């Protein structure tokens, strides 16, 4: 049994060692196409969504403030974020708390922060907002965030390491399996298209994503609702499902008829799968998903995935 906490072990595996910061000020262009001037090296950083916190933990830095999803912190970040100030739900930042925190830098998911961008800018010395859907989005956001933090070479190393690991896993994956990744919002499952990073990893691992690519003319769309009838008709070998609350999944007669449920390959996964764009989350998703798709080829990644964030069998309302 390892005595090192899983995420710290992952940092060592990624080789995230400290390097001297570059000079300030510097200008970072975020996904709003806005030029954000970082006057000095940020010391206090707030994260609206797990992405910014993920980058900070990968750099072995403190997270000053962090949002929640369904009033919960991301389990995959472990105790590394235990001391962060609670900024409220990710889709509705507590702006009063953020203003009191007055961080040097706030890093947010553009989807959730756009309605409050002006207020966030007023509460922070600098604010970066990113669109986080695709692999390219992930690589770009990690590169720009680490540059804002004065950790340029570390960001480049983290990106290069993930691409190497993805290529290596893709070469080992035997393929011949179908799968889907779902986010259950209320009682409605939303299936992810192959442009979303998690589904992209699935595809690179040789699995056939039954939801395919976004419809023509909707390239920026990463998911859409999937009826249980459609899920049953497509009947994938493996189902990966995220649900924000702790309760069981909504009952439906189709579930027990699905191949993945009958064979014990329907898994409830952690929120690193929906926010897979940070350097830690994407590595955990790659390692765990490879095992879930091909358990005879890839060993369980228990050495790096915290127990609370590991996949477990889906459970259903009785």
């Amino acid at each position: 049994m390892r005595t090192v906490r899983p995420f710290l072990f992952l940092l060592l595996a990624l080789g995230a060692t400290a390097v001297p910061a570059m000079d300030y000020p510097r200008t970072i262009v975020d996904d709003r196409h806005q030029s954000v001037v970082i006057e000095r090296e940020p010391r206090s950083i707030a994260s609206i969504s797990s992405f910014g916190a993920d980058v900070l933990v990968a750099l072995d830095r403190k997270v000053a403030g962090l949002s929640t999803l369904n009033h919960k912190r991301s389990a995959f970040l472990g105790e590394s974020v235990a001391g962060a100030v609670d900024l409220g739900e990710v889709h509705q930042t507590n702006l009063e708390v953020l203003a009191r925190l007055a961080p040097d830098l706030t890093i947010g998911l553009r989807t959730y922060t756009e309605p409050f961008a002006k207020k966030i800018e007023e509460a922070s010395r600098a604010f970066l907002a990113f669109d986080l859907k695709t692999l390219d989005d992930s690589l770009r956001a990690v590169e720009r965030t680490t540059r804002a933090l004065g950790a340029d070479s570390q960001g480049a190393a983290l990106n290069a390491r993930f691409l190497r690991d993805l290529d290596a896993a893709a070469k080992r994956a035997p393929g011949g399996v179908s799968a889907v990744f779902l986010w259950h919002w209320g009682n409605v499952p939303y299936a992810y298209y192959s442009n979303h990073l998690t589904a992209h990893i699935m595809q690179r691992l040789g699995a056939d994503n039954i939801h395919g690519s976004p419809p023509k003319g909707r390239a920026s769309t990463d998911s859409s609702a999937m009826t249980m009838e459609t899920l049953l008709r497509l009947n994938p070998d493996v189902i990966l499902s995220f649900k924000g609350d702790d309760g069981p999944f909504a009952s439906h007669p189709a579930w027990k008829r699905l191949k993945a449920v009958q064979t014990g390959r329907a898994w409830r996964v952690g929120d690193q799968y929906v926010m897979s764009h940070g350097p830690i989350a994407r590595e955990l998703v790659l390692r765990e998903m490879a095992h879930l798709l091909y358990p005879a080829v890839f060993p369980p990644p228990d050495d790096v995935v915290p127990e609370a964030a590991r996949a477990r069998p889906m459970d259903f309302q009785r």
Side-chain angles (χ1 to χ4, degrees), residues 11-300:
L11 295 181
L12 296 174
L14 292 175
T17 54
V19 295
M22 293 173 55
D23 293 335
Y24 286 83
R26 65 188 68 180
T27 300
I28 310 296
V29 179
D30 68 4
D31 286 343
R32 300 171 295 170
H33 304 292
Q34 187 161 322
S35 297
V36 180
V37 178
I38 313 292
E39 296 288 353
R40 64 191 186 199
E41 183 179 357
R43 299 296 183 182
S44 172
I45 302 103
S47 178
I48 301 174
S49 88
S50 64
F51 171 77
D54 187 325
V55 175
L56 289 167
V57 173
L59 297 175
D60 201 16
R61 299 193 188 186
K62 181 179 177 181
V63 183
L66 178 59
S67 61
T68 58
L69 180 60
N70 284 84
H71 308 288
K72 294 186 298 183
R73 294 271 171 84
S74 296
F76 77 90
L77 292 174
E79 292 300 309
S80 59
V81 296
V85 171
D86 186 348
L87 298 178
E89 284 292 281
V90 63
H91 60 277
Q92 193 168 8
T93 306
N94 190 323
L95 297 170
E96 292 183 4
V97 172
L98 183 66
R100 287 198 298 270
L101 186 63
D104 295 330
L105 174 63
T106 297
I107 302 164
L109 184 61
R110 186 179 176 190
T111 303
Y112 293 135
T113 59
E114 199 161 29
F116 319 107
K118 184 66 175 177
K119 293 291 185 182
I120 294 171
E121 288 171 342
E122 292 172 356
S124 314
R125 285 185 176 272
F127 171 48
L128 294 172
F130 296 107
D131 294 320
L132 296 175
K133 295 176 182 175
T134 68
L135 172 61
D136 286 344
D137 290 341
S138 172
L139 298 173
R140 182 177 61 251
V142 168
E143 183 272 325
R144 294 182 184 184
T145 299
T146 53
R147 186 148 49 90
L149 298 172
D152 307 52
S153 62
Q154 288 169 278
L158 289 167
N159 279 341
R161 176 59 186 262
F162 176 70
L163 292 175
R164 288 197 301 271
D165 288 349
L166 182 59
D167 285 343
K171 289 176 182 176
R172 291 179 60 196
V177 65
S178 59
V180 69
F181 171 47
L182 306 172
W183 184 347
H184 295 250
W185 190 262
N187 291 334
V188 179
Y190 284 78
Y192 280 83
Y193 294 115
S194 294
N195 60 336
H196 185 270
L197 177 54
T198 296
H200 175 82
I201 292 171
M202 178 190 297
Q203 192 165 268
R204 286 294 310 278
L205 289 171
D208 175 24
N209 176 18
I210 64 166
H211 202 44
S213 300
K216 187 175 181 180
R218 300 180 62 192
S220 63
T221 302
D222 65 358
S223 63
S224 66
M226 175 175 281
T227 67
M228 292 303 299
E229 291 75 19
T230 299
L231 184 59
L232 182 59
R233 175 174 56 82
L234 297 173
N235 206 11
D237 298 310
V238 179
I239 297 174
L240 307 177
S241 289
F242 172 75
K243 188 170 183 283
D245 62 73
D246 293 325
F249 291 88
S251 181
H252 189 284
W255 283 114
K256 62 184 179 181
R257 298 169 58 193
L258 286 161
K259 183 192 323 179
V261 174
Q262 294 173 350
T263 59
R265 304 192 73 187
W267 300 98
R268 182 178 194 144
V269 297
D271 75 332
Q272 65 267 29
Y273 282 75
V274 292
M275 281 301 300
S276 53
H277 303 83
I280 295 175
R282 66 194 182 189
E283 190 75 24
L284 299 185
V285 168
L286 172 62
R287 296 189 187 195
E288 184 176 71
M289 189 191 295
H291 169 68
L292 297 177
L293 293 174
Y294 312 108
V297 177
F298 296 92

